[in-house]
Amino acid sequence: TCFTILAVYINAMTVYMLPKLFDVPDDEIGTASSRLIYFSMPFTIVATIGASASYEILGRKTTLACSYFFSGIALYFIPYTAPSFFWLVVLRCIHAACFAPSASYPLVNDYVVKSYRASAIAINGIGVVVGELLCMGVFVKFTEGLSQYTDFTIIAAVAIAFSAYFAYAVEDP
């Protein structure tokens, strides 16, 4: 749920931010937001590969907590890259690399008995839906009318709060 909230929020709010802070014309918003995702994909792929080693070397708790913490830091600075689209791309790539480990966690295999793993994955799917509902129904509505700087400060604080939660709640196997 927390992963989905942050992933959906950054993509949704970027679409609102592009014309306001980066002077992207309305008819080019789709192209610009697609470029942000396209350019960040190689960083996501490499970081996902590195996440596997990180989970084994640093542990689950440290990797998840650092992933959310540094993602929060990157989220905070995103609106401050305006009006440079180049620096927005750079920061989105950094964010993608920081956030990738949170998408490829081994917690189900670590903590769920083999015969219940399918149920755990199904519950995870429900968490994705709940995360999308919370993001679009609560966070986007809550931050509606606020400045882009305030929007990203709030979501950065949420990411850092999740980081603290993972640092406290996750136990390494």
Side-chain angles (χ1 to χ4, degrees), residues 67-155:
S67 174
Y68 278 90
F69 180 80
F70 290 114
S71 293
I73 299 297
L75 283 167
Y76 174 79
F77 285 106
I78 282 177
Y80 293 98
T81 62
S84 172
F85 190 77
F86 171 79
W87 288 112
L88 176 61
V89 170
V90 169
L91 201 53
R92 281 294 298 262
C93 291
I94 291 169
H95 175 264
C98 292
F99 203 48
S102 62
S104 58
Y105 57 86
L107 300 180
V108 171
N109 289 337
D110 288 344
Y111 300 111
V112 179
V113 177
K114 197 171 190 175
S115 61
Y116 289 102
R117 288 184 186 160
S119 297
I121 297 298
I123 292 170
N124 188 41
I126 292 169
V128 168
V129 173
V130 169
E132 288 184 22
L133 291 172
L134 285 172
C135 177
M136 299 308 285
V138 176
F139 283 108
V140 171
K141 287 293 184 189
F142 174 73
T143 59
E144 191 174 43
L146 300 175
S147 75
Q148 301 295 314
Y149 299 96
T150 305
D151 291 346
F152 278 89
T153 299
I154 290 169
I155 203 64

Side-chain angles (χ1 to χ4, degrees), residues 15-84:
V15 170
Y16 294 123
M17 180 179 62
L18 288 173
K20 292 179 182 176
L21 297 181
F22 293 90
D23 296 322
V24 174
D26 288 342
D27 61 337
E28 294 180 22
I29 291 173
T31 302
S33 61
S34 294
R35 284 186 180 147
L36 288 171
I37 294 169
Y38 174 78
F39 290 131
S40 67
M41 274 301 152
F43 294 89
T44 301
I45 292 167
V46 169
T48 301
I49 294 167
S52 176
S54 179
Y55 279 118
E56 295 304 319
I57 296 168
L58 300 175
R60 277 70 168 143
K61 177 187 291 213
T62 302
T63 302
L64 275 173
C66 287
S67 174
Y68 278 90
F69 180 80
F70 290 114
S71 293
I73 299 297
L75 283 167
Y76 174 79
F77 285 106
I78 282 177
Y80 293 98
T81 62
S84 172

